[in-house]
Amino acid sequence: MECDEVIMTVRITAAERALLRRLAQGHHSDVSEVVADGLLDVLPTLHCPADAHRLLAALATPAPCALTVWLPTELADLLTIATARIAHSTGVRLGSSCIMLGAAVRLWLAQDPQRLAANLITMHAGRPAALAAA
């Protein structure tokens, strides 16, 4: 049986978890959708070694909270590719797609919260109303 979503665990701080929840509530969606949107926003920006090091720096602060999210399979597959790209650029092997997920989400959440909320609105501006309400 093939599934179109995978379950993953991301490690974040309590403040980051609270911000994700506020973004989801303000966007009338769930945390998994906000995480997926964040990945779509941040993964394309990781082009050079400097970007890779910014991503690794996002892991510097301990992340005691585990958050379970559902991601589209295609997006989860991109995490594997991004993990390999980070290893190639920096020589640092993250070990798993879940660690890459945590680093990417934490890097994304490090932005101004109002900018994050505005980006979510922009990302879904052209979405049909039926999908926006689902």
Side-chain angles (χ1 to χ4, degrees):
M1 186 169 127
E2 195 167 316
C3 184
D4 59 348
E5 290 185 317
V6 294
I7 190 168
M8 297 185 78
T9 301
V10 60
R11 304 234 17 127
I12 55 178
T13 68
E16 291 164 337
R17 182 180 60 191
L19 177 55
L20 272 175
R21 288 179 177 164
R22 281 195 315 270
L23 289 168
Q25 184 180 28
H27 190 58
H28 305 292
S29 65
D30 62 29
V31 171
S32 292
E33 182 179 340
V34 171
V35 167
D37 289 341
L39 289 175
L40 291 172
D41 195 27
V42 78
L43 288 179
T45 68
L46 303 174
H47 296 292
C48 66
D51 297 328
H53 286 287
R54 280 187 320 116
L55 182 107
L56 293 176
L59 294 173
T61 304
C65 300
L67 179 70
T68 302
V69 296
W70 288 92
L71 294 176
T73 303
E74 297 83 1
L75 189 54
D77 290 345
L78 289 178
L79 291 170
T80 303
I81 296 166
T83 301
R85 183 182 298 162
I86 297 299
H88 179 68
S89 296
T90 66
V92 176
R93 300 199 185 287
L94 294 176
S96 76
S97 293
C98 285
I99 296 171
M100 178 65 195
L101 173 62
V105 167
R106 297 181 80 190
L107 179 62
W108 183 69
L109 290 172
Q111 299 177 66
D112 175 55
Q114 291 173 332
R115 179 179 178 198
L116 294 173
N119 287 349
L120 288 171
I121 291 167
T122 301
M123 289 176 79
H124 294 279
R127 199 164 93 174
L131 289 177

